[in-house]
Amino acid sequence: MSSAFSDGDDWLSHKTLTCVGLTLEDIKKCSKIQQIGKRVCYNNEALGEKEKDLENLLHQFEDYSALFQNGSSKLFGHIRGCNVVIIMESSDEAFCLSNDNKCFSSIYKEGMLQLLHDQLVRKSNVHFISTGGMKCCLSELLDFKEDKYLSTARSEDFIEALSPHGHSNLLPGLKQAFKLKQIDTICVVMVTRPKEDLGITKDYLLQAMVGHSKPKFHFVSFGSDEAPRSFMKEIVKELGGYYHHNSMDTEGSFQDTCFDQISAEMHKIRSTLQEVCLLKAKYSSSTVHVNSAATQDLTEMSVSEKFQFLDEPLTLCLPDTKKLSFENVSASEWVAKFGVVAKGLLFYKLLSTDSYCIEGRYIPITKGNIQSHWYDGMMEIEWEGGTRRRIHVDLPKIEDYMERIEGCVDAVHTRMKELVCNTKSIFGVVTEPCVILVVDLSADVSKYLLELQRYFKALLEEQFTATGPVNFFNIVIFGSSCQMWSTHLVPCNEKTLQEAWKWIIHWLCQGTRNLAAAVRCLTEMLEESSTNTGVYIICSGLPDQDEAIISDFLCHSLTGPKVSLHTIFLEVETSFYDISDVNDFVSCRFGSSTDIAKYFNTVASSCGGSFHHWGPTGVIRSSEMKILEEELALCLEQKALAEEVVEKFAQHCREQSEGRKHLSTEEKYPTSSPMNKSLPAEPRHTRTSIDRINLVKYGVLPSKEISSVPVRQDCAVSGEQAWKLKATATLPDINTESHTSSEEWLSVYSLSALRIDYKKIQTSKRSKKVLHQNNKGGSVLLSVDRNELYLFKAKLSLLVEAYKKRLNFLKNGSLKYFGCVTGNKVVLLVDTSYSMIHCSDVIKTAICQLVTEQFVSRGISYNIISFGYKLTMFKENCSISRDVESLRRWLDGLVWKGNTRLTECIEKALLQSPEKVCLLTDGVQDHSDEYFFKWIQDRKIMVPIDTVGFHCTNKEKVFLKTLASHTNGRFHYYCGNENFSGDDMELVNSELEIAAKWLSEVKFIF
């Protein structure tokens, strides 16, 4: 706990702007005022000193407020005083509550222990009082000043012994507290509303304080119930004191009176700091005029330069004639007009007039089949779809094509450079004649409002000119509410643009991001528009509404044949603009940069628009740029195809030249030369000719190894059957019903263990889409022996069938509940707490199947321990037992209630020296995850613990999976007959996916 809390209650009263003399009026009086005509100037150095004092004071408040957001201060607030009485509610209602499937009593006790170690140990004297029903328990005096360690131990015992008693009752605890002497603070911790009437409680407190020193009251409420909150707020309003509320939700939100006072004072400091900056900018004697271009770096400007552009009007001039070549169209329209397809520059289309394929068909007039032949001057290339054709290569035509395709590449590069210049890099290209800008002005935008105003000034000057594409426009801003600059679309001219800029100067940021309200305001405006309208949503964070809700709303309200919706995510660096965050205490919906970009990309995609993401480093992601990148990739692909054909043609010409040289050498020999001996009458068959004969006769291409397989001569054997026989002979016998873990099973039958690798039969030679196998952006050409490819396909088919059988085996009987339980000596831990009562019948059936199918049949020594409100053992020691009836009677006698005593149960199981421990639970435990894993680490458990989650949530799945990994065990979960899985099934399934993928790619070749 920081020492700032130990400064006493007067810290805030001594640090206000009034006390330290840093109000705006005080700063104006301290600065030297000068009058130059009608302009008032202040001493720049004096203002700078006051600005530094305000920044230092703001940092002190930020550090002080940060203490409320950590540790026990977030749960209970800051407990004041030296002699403190803690009144804790211990009613039945409070202890029966639950939070995220975790018993509230454990959360309640953990919080009280954290309060004890963080704050109460620094007090002088502390009393604990627990009240519930008519029972009131008072602890002995705990003197932390005299004996800190003994008092801490006694306090922990008192908190751990808390138990529910009756209904919520506050008066007995208050009566007991007022009997004590020299009490500074009374802290009341309540979960539910007391049964007493509010008026009775207030009257009693007023009467009890008559004639006594008035103690300070500190009321704390937990949970989402509004009743105790309103009860305590009324008492604080009547009697004074402090109030703290913790909602105990996942976001960890809280409310504290002291924290609210600090936030309000920080709001005043930021407002004063902003006013001082404006004074320095507008009334300083050293004012410097700057350019308002959006590309200028604000971090290198002085304060006066940063605010100077607000006083300057828009600079509207005629567009530069050199820039008129830029097409104000979307990327898709530009590609449709200037792209490769639009200009007819697809390479295969260019060669289609000079390409020919082999054809053979029956011609009736000749009464026979006619087969086409190639000319010697033609070159064979690979065509679209994996086919092959021969072409006449016209080099001048291809060279002209390559020059034209290079021109397309340059045009795409130029277009991409234009899209990252000036405001086009921030907002994209505004293309529609009617434009509506929907701008986020929530409280978070105040951090960079000045920079946002600069961007919009540059946007109006650059893209909203009188001669530009925009004819009508309007601007809508939204925070918690919505505001329109005009109720209808306004013509775009110099007068209206200047009026819009004057309105932009006075923007204020407040509230959250209610995007639905802004969309609702656009509905009537869009009905008046008769031309194409573009709606540009410019936002810097997550809106209040969910992604699905806002997408459906936009699709039904805005989309149509004349409406285009675009989203722009502005991610601005806020390091400088923190001083203008005047509404920081208003909490907007939080989201990371990735979440926000995904949100608006989905919204734009659902409405058929574009998405633009701009950050401090430039354009991060843009739908327009993505289209241009795809067009650039298409251009480069067509260019590569042309270069490859030219290279192959050169190689083809060299081969023909070498062939002619070889023929001319042979002609030198006479015909009577011994080299020209006649061939034998019956030539000897080679391996290639034998394979060709077998292909015609049996439909297969046998290799040397398969030639020994006997084949019946009286019937034909299919090729697939023959290769499966060969694959079966080369693979080991696969036992799909082995009771071992999938890790052990795959160590024998995985693809890597069997040395089956798809990459080893491929070469790195580049080709054109023979296979659907991407390798660094291109395709891969198979260059292997045909027999090897047939054998590889047969092996993959057999392995896919084996993996499927293994998965079906793991889904039957007790395997779907527990997976494969391994080990010769196993202890099964069964959670019988109250949270497991809803699935008790399923657990009993599953345990009986586990014992019958796995333990008894495989001769495994086992024992079963149930843990809930007490530990119960099925047997004294691990042994082989075939008496299933006694097991059923023992299971029927289990009582399903109490908490999850997981650590005690594991200690009990380890005493029996098992080879493996199997834990069946829903993952809900008494201790926190950090405490439990620290206990596991300190205990140095060497026995693997397999975890089985029954109807557990995602949070508990993570806990059980982590526990299994820490102890080298395995994880399995069961949430119904159709919803179960585990490490065993996931390993086999991943291996099956790889084998199936390889098999589909091999089949694609054939």
Side-chain angles (χ1 to χ4, degrees):
M1 182 66 61
S2 175
S3 62
F5 275 158
S6 62
D7 293 340
D9 303 333
D10 298 332
W11 187 91
L12 182 61
S13 60
H14 292 321
K15 295 291 184 179
T16 59
L17 290 175
T18 306
C19 294
V20 298
L22 288 177
T23 61
L24 187 60
E25 291 76 12
D26 295 335
I27 293 174
K28 288 182 179 180
K29 290 178 182 179
C30 295
S31 302
K32 294 180 181 181
I33 303 176
Q34 298 178 357
Q35 187 79 20
I36 305 175
K38 295 183 179 180
R39 188 176 181 88
V40 181
C41 297
Y42 291 90
N43 187 285
N44 204 20
E45 295 180 358
L47 290 175
E49 292 177 359
K50 295 300 179 182
E51 182 182 1
K52 290 181 180 179
D53 294 339
L54 286 172
E55 290 177 351
N56 293 332
L57 183 62
L58 181 61
H59 290 320
Q60 293 180 24
F61 271 87
E62 289 176 347
D63 295 340
Y64 192 81
S65 63
L67 299 176
F68 285 89
Q69 303 177 23
N70 297 304
S72 63
S73 299
K74 187 175 183 179
L75 296 174
F76 298 91
H78 170 45
I79 310 297
R80 296 158 181 81
C82 297
N83 301 320
V84 182
V85 176
I86 308 294
I87 302 177
M88 300 177 293
E89 178 186 355
S90 59
S91 63
D92 293 335
E93 297 177 0
F95 278 69
C96 289
L97 294 176
S98 61
N99 185 63
D100 290 339
N101 296 329
K102 188 173 183 181
C103 184
F104 187 79
S105 60
S106 59
I107 303 175
Y108 191 30
K109 292 179 181 180
E110 288 176 4
M112 292 303 301
L113 291 173
Q114 191 175 10
L115 174 66
L116 170 66
H117 293 291
D118 286 355
Q119 299 189 47
L120 298 183
V121 293
R122 294 175 175 82
K123 308 298 180 182
S124 297
N125 298 318
V126 177
H127 286 87
F128 287 98
I129 299 175
S130 66
T131 173
M134 300 307 295
K135 185 177 180 181
C136 183
C137 299
L138 173 66
S139 68
E140 56 184 311
L141 176 63
L142 303 172
D143 192 347
F144 289 95
K145 192 173 182 180
E146 294 293 335
D147 194 344
K148 179 180 178 180
Y149 297 103
L150 181 59
S151 299
T152 303
R154 290 176 178 175
S155 302
E156 292 176 348
D157 294 340
F158 185 85
I159 295 172
E160 290 291 348
L162 285 176
S163 59
H165 295 287
H167 56 269
S168 177
N169 196 355
L170 181 58
L171 280 181
L174 292 174
K175 291 178 182 179
Q176 194 71 35
F178 278 106
K179 292 180 182 180
L180 303 174
K181 297 180 180 180
Q182 297 180 351
I183 297 300
D184 298 338
T185 303
I186 297 178
C187 178
V188 180
V189 182
M190 302 297 292
V191 181
T192 60
R193 190 186 187 281
K195 298 298 181 182
E196 298 90 0
D197 185 68
L198 177 61
I200 295 175
T201 305
K202 289 194 294 185
D203 292 341
Y204 172 75
L205 290 174
L206 290 172
Q207 294 174 12
M209 290 187 295
V210 174
H212 299 279
S213 59
K214 182 180 178 181
K216 297 176 183 177
F217 288 99
H218 187 97
F219 292 91
V220 182
S221 62
F222 283 92
S224 59
D225 191 2
E226 183 65 28
R229 298 170 59 184
S230 59
F231 183 89
M232 294 185 178
K233 283 183 179 179
E234 288 294 331
I235 296 179
V236 171
K237 183 178 179 181
E238 185 75 22
L239 303 177
Y242 301 92
Y243 168 71
H244 185 93
H245 170 72
N246 194 300
S247 61
M248 302 301 294
D249 54 10
T250 55
E251 299 178 357
S253 58
F254 67 92
Q255 182 181 359
D256 189 277
T257 52
C258 185
F259 186 77
D260 293 341
Q261 295 174 7
I262 294 172
S263 300
E265 193 65 25
M266 292 171 64
H267 168 59
K268 294 179 182 179
I269 296 173
R270 291 191 177 98
S271 301
T272 306
L273 192 56
Q274 186 183 25
E275 292 294 336
V276 172
C277 292
L278 289 173
L279 282 176
K280 291 178 63 179
K282 294 185 178 181
Y283 304 109
S284 175
S285 58
S286 59
T287 302
V288 181
H289 295 278
V290 297
N291 186 11
S292 62
T295 55
Q296 193 168 0
D297 190 2
L298 288 176
T299 58
E300 299 177 357
M301 300 180 188
S302 64
V303 177
S304 60
E305 292 173 338
K306 292 168 184 173
F307 290 90
Q308 181 64 26
F309 78 95
L310 294 173
D311 295 333
E312 299 175 353
L314 294 178
T315 305
L316 301 174
C317 58
L318 293 176
D320 191 357
T321 55
K322 296 180 180 179
K323 297 181 180 179
L324 290 177
S325 59
F326 179 80
E327 293 283 340
N328 273 298
V329 294
S330 63
S332 57
E333 294 174 350
W334 187 90
V335 169
K337 186 176 180 181
F338 301 103
V340 174
V341 179
K343 293 184 177 181
L345 293 180
L346 293 176
F347 186 65
Y348 287 121
K349 185 177 180 181
L350 177 74
L351 298 180
S352 60
T353 56
D354 297 329
S355 64
Y356 304 92
C357 59
I358 297 178
E359 288 190 3
R361 63 175 181 267
Y362 178 78
I363 305 299
I365 194 171
T366 62
K367 296 181 181 181
N369 293 321
I370 302 298
Q371 185 73 26
S372 59
H373 297 279
W374 302 119
Y375 289 100
D376 295 336
M378 302 179 70
M379 186 184 71
E380 185 177 2
I381 66 168
E382 189 175 330
W383 202 255
E384 293 179 293
T387 60
R388 303 190 70 82
R389 288 190 179 188
R390 291 212 174 192
I391 61 171
H392 289 288
V393 180
D394 188 352
L395 286 180
K397 183 178 180 180
I398 295 179
E399 289 177 359
D400 178 65
Y401 170 81
M402 292 178 68
E403 290 180 359
R404 295 172 64 189
I405 204 71
E406 286 177 359
C408 287
V409 172
D410 295 338
V412 175
H413 278 298
T414 304
R415 181 71 179 183
M416 295 175 72
K417 291 178 181 179
E418 291 172 344
L419 292 183
V420 294
C421 295
N422 301 328
T423 58
K424 297 183 184 68
S425 65
I426 303 174
F427 300 98
V429 183
V430 179
T431 60
E432 293 82 4
C434 296
V435 176
I436 302 175
L437 303 178
V438 183
V439 188
D440 169 24
L441 285 187
S442 60
D444 289 345
V445 181
S446 60
K447 300 176 182 178
Y448 44 87
L449 176 60
L450 185 64
E451 189 169 354
L452 185 64
Q453 289 170 332
R454 295 181 74 257
Y455 294 156
F456 269 88
K457 183 177 182 181
L459 175 66
L460 296 179
E461 291 175 345
E462 183 181 344
Q463 301 196 48
F464 281 70
T465 57
T467 58
V470 180
N471 299 328
F472 298 89
F473 76 102
N474 198 357
I475 304 175
V476 180
I477 60 175
F478 68 95
S480 295
S481 59
C482 175
Q483 182 182 359
M484 294 188 293
W485 173 57
S486 176
T487 56
H488 58 278
L489 291 170
V490 178
C492 182
N493 51 50
E494 183 175 356
K495 180 181 178 181
T496 55
L497 289 174
Q498 294 290 358
E499 291 177 355
W501 170 239
K502 293 178 181 178
W503 182 69
I504 291 173
I505 293 174
H506 298 89
W507 275 355
L508 294 176
C509 303
Q510 58 183 354
T512 57
R513 299 183 182 89
N514 189 2
L515 181 56
V519 176
R520 195 179 298 112
C521 294
L522 298 175
T523 306
E524 297 180 0
M525 192 187 311
L526 291 172
E527 292 177 355
E528 301 175 358
S529 176
S530 58
T531 58
N532 294 336
T533 304
V535 178
Y536 292 81
I537 298 177
I538 304 167
C539 204
S540 58
L542 284 179
D544 298 343
Q545 294 79 19
D546 290 336
E547 178 183 317
I549 296 175
I550 203 69
S551 297
D552 293 341
F553 191 21
L554 289 169
C555 288
H556 290 85
S557 301
L558 300 184
T559 56
K562 298 181 180 180
V563 180
S564 302
L565 186 134
H566 314 283
T567 57
I568 301 171
F569 171 33
L570 294 184
E571 185 181 357
V572 186
E573 182 66 36
T574 61
S575 59
F576 171 76
Y577 296 95
D578 289 340
I579 62 173
S580 62
D581 186 12
V582 297
N583 293 297
D584 186 54
F585 62 93
V586 179
S587 177
C588 295
R589 186 180 176 190
F590 173 77
S592 63
S593 176
T594 305
D595 297 336
I596 301 171
K598 182 180 179 182
Y599 182 102
F600 286 106
N601 187 28
T602 304
V603 171
S605 300
S606 62
C607 298
S610 62
F611 169 68
H612 189 84
H613 182 188
W614 183 86
T617 58
V619 179
I620 299 175
R621 183 178 180 183
S622 174
S623 302
E624 303 284 298
M625 296 294 289
K626 185 178 180 181
I627 295 174
L628 294 177
E629 289 173 358
E630 293 175 354
E631 182 67 18
L632 179 62
L634 179 61
C635 293
L636 296 177
E637 182 183 358
Q638 301 302 313
K639 182 180 178 182
L641 290 174
E643 292 175 349
E644 187 176 357
V645 167
V646 173
E647 182 182 354
K648 284 187 176 181
F649 180 72
Q651 180 68 23
H652 179 70
C653 292
R654 286 193 295 269
E655 291 176 356
Q656 285 188 343
S657 176
E658 292 176 358
R660 284 193 295 270
K661 290 180 181 180
H662 180 69
L663 289 175
S664 62
T665 304
E666 289 181 348
E667 290 174 356
K668 297 179 181 179
Y669 294 96
T671 55
S672 59
S673 174
M675 297 180 61
N676 292 329
K677 292 182 179 179
S678 59
L679 294 175
E682 296 182 0
R684 185 176 58 184
H685 287 292
T686 62
R687 171 56 57 184
T688 304
S689 62
I690 293 175
D691 289 345
R692 194 177 295 113
I693 293 171
N694 290 333
L695 176 63
V696 175
K697 191 172 184 179
Y698 303 115
V700 296
L701 287 173
S703 60
K704 295 180 180 180
E705 293 82 359
I706 202 171
S707 58
S708 59
V709 178
V711 179
R712 292 181 57 185
Q713 300 295 329
D714 56 342
C715 64
V717 180
S718 67
E720 186 174 357
Q721 292 177 352
W723 287 112
K724 279 192 175 182
L725 290 174
K726 169 61 179 173
T728 306
T730 56
L731 290 176
D733 294 335
I734 301 177
N735 183 10
T736 59
E737 298 184 358
S738 173
H739 281 278
T740 57
S741 64
S742 293
E743 185 176 1
E744 298 176 0
W745 191 80
L746 289 174
S747 64
V748 180
Y749 304 117
S750 66
L751 295 171
S752 59
L754 297 174
R755 297 183 179 180
I756 298 177
D757 191 354
Y758 184 54
K759 297 179 181 179
K760 290 184 179 180
I761 66 168
Q762 300 178 5
T763 67
S764 59
K765 182 178 178 182
R766 184 182 177 277
S767 65
K768 296 167 289 184
K769 299 181 181 178
V770 173
L771 292 175
H772 288 300
Q773 174 73 22
N774 291 330
N775 185 9
K776 297 182 179 180
S779 303
V780 177
L781 175 65
L782 279 179
S783 179
V784 296
D785 182 68
R786 189 174 180 85
N787 295 342
E788 181 183 354
L789 202 59
Y790 274 111
L791 182 61
F792 183 77
K793 176 186 174 184
K795 289 182 179 180
L796 283 179
S797 301
L798 293 176
L799 287 177
V800 167
E801 294 177 3
Y803 293 153
K804 290 180 179 179
K805 290 181 180 179
R806 179 67 179 179
L807 281 177
N808 292 331
F809 169 72
L810 294 176
K811 295 178 182 179
N812 296 324
S814 63
L815 296 175
K816 69 178 179 180
Y817 299 111
F818 298 91
C820 285
V821 180
T822 59
N824 296 323
K825 191 176 182 181
V826 180
V827 175
L828 176 64
L829 308 181
V830 183
D831 183 3
T832 57
S833 61
Y834 184 77
S835 59
M836 299 287 289
I837 192 172
H838 65 283
C839 55
S840 58
D841 295 336
V842 180
I843 292 175
K844 294 175 184 178
T845 304
I847 293 175
C848 291
Q849 289 186 4
L850 173 68
V851 172
T852 304
E853 297 175 1
Q854 298 195 47
F855 291 166
V856 175
S857 61
R858 294 161 52 194
I860 297 176
S861 300
Y862 71 95
N863 198 1
I864 306 175
I865 303 176
S866 68
F867 58 98
Y869 80 104
K870 67 176 182 178
L871 300 180
T872 307
M873 297 177 60
F874 175 55
K875 297 178 292 185
E876 294 183 358
N877 297 309
C878 291
S879 60
I880 300 175
S881 175
R882 303 180 183 275
D883 190 0
V884 183
E885 291 298 328
S886 62
L887 174 62
R888 289 195 177 96
R889 289 192 298 269
W890 182 78
L891 292 173
D892 292 336
L894 293 177
V895 180
W896 305 80
K897 68 177 183 178
N899 297 332
T900 307
R901 303 162 63 183
L902 186 55
T903 55
E904 299 178 22
C905 184
I906 294 177
E907 288 280 6
K908 192 79 171 177
L910 295 177
L911 294 177
Q912 302 193 18
S913 302
E915 294 183 7
K916 180 160 290 188
V917 175
C918 183
L919 172 63
L920 189 153
T921 179
D922 59 353
V924 181
Q925 54 157 335
D926 296 342
H927 304 285
S928 64
D929 295 353
E930 293 79 7
Y931 172 84
F932 181 78
F933 287 122
K934 188 176 183 304
W935 178 83
I936 289 287
Q937 185 178 3
D938 296 341
R939 186 67 175 76
K940 296 181 180 179
I941 297 177
M942 305 302 293
V943 178
I945 299 178
D946 291 349
T947 56
V948 181
F950 255 65
H951 297 276
C952 53
T953 62
N954 292 332
K955 179 180 178 181
E956 278 69 39
K957 286 180 183 178
V958 173
F959 165 72
L960 294 175
K961 199 162 188 176
T962 307
L963 174 58
S965 63
H966 278 15
T967 58
N968 296 324
R970 290 173 291 131
F971 169 69
H972 189 90
Y973 73 90
Y974 174 84
C975 296
N977 289 330
E978 301 298 331
N979 186 8
F980 58 89
S981 184
D983 293 344
D984 288 338
M985 297 181 66
E986 289 177 358
L987 287 174
V988 178
N989 195 34
S990 62
E991 200 73 14
L992 173 61
E993 290 178 355
I994 297 174
K997 178 184 177 182
W998 289 356
L999 182 60
S1000 63
E1001 292 179 357
V1002 171
K1003 287 181 179 180
F1004 180 77
I1005 302 173
F1006 296 100

